[in-house]
């Protein structure tokens, strides 16, 4: 059965309207916000035949919650079936390049997950994989921070992360884990241009022991300044970019 929920913020709502307009039941907007950005949204909604209701801002505040920065726009949506249900669907699909996965081991901060999805979309990741337990899922805050990437990048929640990594290895995917104390630098790892899954850990704790033991290699991000660690979304951006850089060199 389809699940009704809300999206809030311009990026998330506009992205859903561009990709799956028929899944939007209605859009609620702040009746007092009349600017160019809102007019563009209204025009797009009219063209897509999506119903729009003008409401008091207090109603939007209540729907978005205390930490929801809705920017004056909320959409009620019904989820449609995702194009990929598991990693095998990705691996067996007609990819234009070797499989490219981002694996997040226990990321609990929705802002970090949203930012990771946004980076993953920018770097052409085929899917983001995360455990179902002790990790944040695709809630409204994640989708808002992702700025539309949550609607574009398949997010696969798995019951057993270590088993999933072993399945990826059996399919020929090279598993690269990141830890602060790894003996190898990311910049000295030259096997990043083939099928690959990058594994990053939770804020503070890093990847779990069993996850680390399942990886083919552990690498660290070299630090040249005074800070000792990086936010997981920033670290994801650095690692994913290095993979994309190496792939561009192969194509050249």
């Amino acid at each position: 059965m389809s699940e009704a929920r809300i999206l809030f913020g311009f990026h998330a709502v506009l992205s859903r309207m561009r990709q799956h307009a028929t899944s939007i039941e209605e859009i609620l907007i702040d009746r007092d916000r009349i600017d160019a950005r809102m007019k563009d949204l209204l025009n797009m909604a009219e063209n897509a035949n999506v119903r729009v209701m003008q409401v008091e801002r207090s109603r939007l505040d209540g729907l978005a919650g205390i930490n929801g920065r809705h920017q004056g726009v909320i959409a009620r949506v019904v989820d449609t079936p995702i194009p990929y249900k598991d990693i095998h669907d990705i691996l067996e699909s007609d990819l234009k390049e070797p499989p490219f996965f981002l694996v997040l081991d226990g990321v609990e901060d929705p802002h970090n997950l949203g930012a990771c999805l946004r980076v993953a979309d920018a770097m052409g990741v085929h899917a983001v994989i995360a455990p179902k337990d002790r990790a944040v899922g695709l809630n409204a805050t994640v989708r808002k921070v992702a700025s539309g990437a949550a609607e574009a990048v398949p997010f696969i929640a798995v019951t057993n992360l270590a088993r999933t990594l072993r399945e990826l290895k059996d399919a020929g995917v090279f598993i690269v884990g990141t830890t602060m104390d790894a003996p190898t630098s990311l910049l000295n790892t030259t096997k990043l241009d083939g099928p690959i899954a990058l594994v990053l850990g939770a804020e503070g704790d890093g990847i779990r022991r069993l996850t680390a033991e399942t990886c083919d290699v552990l690498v660290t991000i070299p630090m040249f300044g005074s800070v000792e660690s990086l936010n997981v979304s920033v670290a994801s951006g650095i690692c994913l970019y290095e993979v994309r850089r190496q792939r561009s060199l192969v194509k050249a």
Side-chain angles (χ1 to χ4, degrees):
M1 179 179 294
S2 298
E3 178 186 357
R5 58 178 176 80
I6 65 167
L7 294 177
F8 55 83
F10 277 96
H11 284 298
V13 173
L14 287 172
S15 178
R16 172 55 70 105
M17 194 147 40
R18 293 189 186 100
Q19 299 181 43
H20 305 291
T22 56
S23 69
I24 300 178
E25 291 186 333
E26 64 181 358
I27 296 176
L28 309 179
I29 65 170
D30 181 353
R31 66 168 68 252
D32 295 324
R33 177 162 182 174
I34 305 174
D35 55 29
R37 197 175 192 187
M38 186 64 78
K39 290 179 180 178
D40 289 342
L41 183 144
L42 291 174
N43 288 334
M44 184 177 292
E46 182 179 2
N47 292 334
N49 198 29
V50 175
R51 182 175 63 179
V52 177
M53 293 182 59
Q54 294 183 332
V55 300
E56 298 292 338
R57 186 176 184 87
S58 58
R59 183 175 177 185
L60 300 178
D61 293 340
L63 288 171
I66 189 170
N67 295 317
R69 299 180 180 178
H70 52 72
Q71 300 174 300
V73 56
I74 286 179
R76 296 185 191 274
V77 304
V78 176
D79 278 334
T80 54
I82 59 175
Y84 301 109
K85 295 181 180 179
D86 57 37
I87 61 169
H88 301 290
D89 291 328
I90 303 285
L91 294 170
E92 295 169 6
S93 62
D94 186 22
L95 301 176
K96 305 302 181 184
E97 62 177 354
F100 186 12
F101 298 100
L102 172 62
V103 181
L104 301 173
D105 187 11
V107 173
E108 298 179 341
D109 185 336
H111 293 86
N112 275 335
L113 177 57
C116 285
L117 285 166
R118 192 171 185 179
V119 172
D121 179 57
M123 291 295 103
V125 168
H126 297 124
V128 174
I129 302 169
K132 289 182 179 179
D133 298 329
R134 289 180 291 180
V136 66
L138 289 183
N139 60 32
T141 299
V142 171
R143 294 177 185 275
K144 168 66 168 57
V145 175
S147 299
E151 315 302 318
V153 181
F155 180 80
I156 302 174
V158 299
T159 303
N160 188 313
L161 185 59
R163 182 173 62 202
T164 299
L165 293 178
R166 288 192 292 269
E167 290 175 357
L168 287 172
K169 291 174 72 171
D170 291 343
V173 177
F174 190 57
I175 312 297
V176 180
T178 58
T179 64
M180 292 181 61
D181 56 356
T184 304
S185 167
L186 172 70
L187 301 183
N188 294 331
T189 304
T190 58
K191 196 179 178 182
L192 302 179
D193 55 349
I196 190 168
L198 282 171
V199 187
L200 287 94
E203 304 84 1
D205 297 330
I207 62 177
R208 291 172 291 178
R209 178 186 59 81
L210 185 57
T211 303
E213 292 174 354
T214 311
C215 295
D216 291 303
V217 66
L218 297 176
V219 302
T220 186
I221 298 174
M223 308 289 285
F224 302 100
S226 58
V227 299
E228 296 181 353
S229 63
L230 296 171
N231 173 287
V232 64
S233 61
V234 174
S236 294
I238 293 172
C239 294
L240 296 177
Y241 180 81
E242 177 60 16
V243 173
R244 185 53 63 190
R245 186 190 69 83
Q246 289 198 22
R247 289 191 173 195
S248 67
L249 292 176
V250 171
K251 291 181 180 180

